[in-house]
Structure formats: structure tokens, C-alpha cells
């Protein structure tokens, strides 16, 4: 999901969740913006799952390849206990922020 969306936006994205986590600029949870990535360790150890933060403590993710994209909450018990961190592979468009 992340690779597909980023490819549509022209953002180069590493293939796996672990590689994306290692490449992303870390974002404190309190500074999350829609479009940021949220990472999870589903089976302990390494980061193995990623989703897009959409705001209000919610994110979208593809549970597994070929499955339907779903929305979930960072505070949902399953994800809260497996949260590894957040990051950003894109840079906010500062020129657009200063435009009238």
C-alpha cells in the first residue's frame, strides 16, 4: 500500500516496512500529520507492518497483500501494544504553505 501510494506521488519508497522505517525521518507521535507513516512490530523483533496516518489517532493499512485496505486506531489494543514509531519519507511543501 505504502509503495503504491508513494509511487503515484513520485516519492521513492523502500520496499519493506523495515526498510521504510529505517529510511524515514522519525516523527514524534504528538507531531503526526496525515500522510505520515506509522510502524508496527506484529511478530516482535523487527518492524513488519506500516500504515498511513490519517488524523485523529487513526491510520489506514493493508493487513496483508491482496486484502482490503482498512482503517484502525493507534489506541486499538492490538496496535497500541505493537507500535514501533512513526516517520516521514516525504517533505512538506513549504512553498505551498507560504502561498496565499
Amino acid at each position: 500500500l505504502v509503495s503504491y501510494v508513494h509511487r503515484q506521488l513520485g516519492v521513492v519508497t523502500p520496499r519493506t516496512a523495515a526498510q521504510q522505517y529505517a529510511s524515514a525521518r522519525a516523527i514524534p507521535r504528538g507531531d503526526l500529520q496525515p500522510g505520515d507513516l506509522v510502524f508496527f512490530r506484529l511478530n516482535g523483533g523487527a518492524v513488519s507492518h506500516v500504515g498511513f496516518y490519517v488524523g485523529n489517532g487513526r491510520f489506514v493499512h493493508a493487513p496483508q497483500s491482496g486484502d482490503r485496505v482498512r482503517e484502525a486506531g493507534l489506541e486499538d489494543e492490538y496496535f497500541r501494544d505493537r507500535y514501533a514509531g512513526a516517520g516521514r519519507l516525504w517533505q512538506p511543501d513549504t512553498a505551498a504553505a507560504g502561498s496565499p
Side-chain angles (χ1 to χ4, degrees), residues 31-37 52-56 58 88 90:
D31 293 338
L32 281 168
Q33 296 179 27
D36 287 341
L37 302 177
F52 281 107
Y53 185 72
V54 295
N56 297 319
R58 310 285 297 166
R88 187 175 293 152
W90 55 276

Side-chain angles (χ1 to χ4, degrees), residues 19-66:
Q19 292 167 338
Q20 292 167 12
Y21 181 67
S23 297
R25 182 167 49 95
I27 303 294
R29 191 167 174 164
D31 293 338
L32 281 168
Q33 296 179 27
D36 287 341
L37 302 177
V38 288
F39 298 96
F40 304 90
R41 291 181 173 97
L42 298 187
N43 299 314
V47 168
S48 59
H49 192 67
V50 60
F52 281 107
Y53 185 72
V54 295
N56 297 319
R58 310 285 297 166
F59 67 99
V60 294
H61 68 112
Q64 58 188 356
S65 184

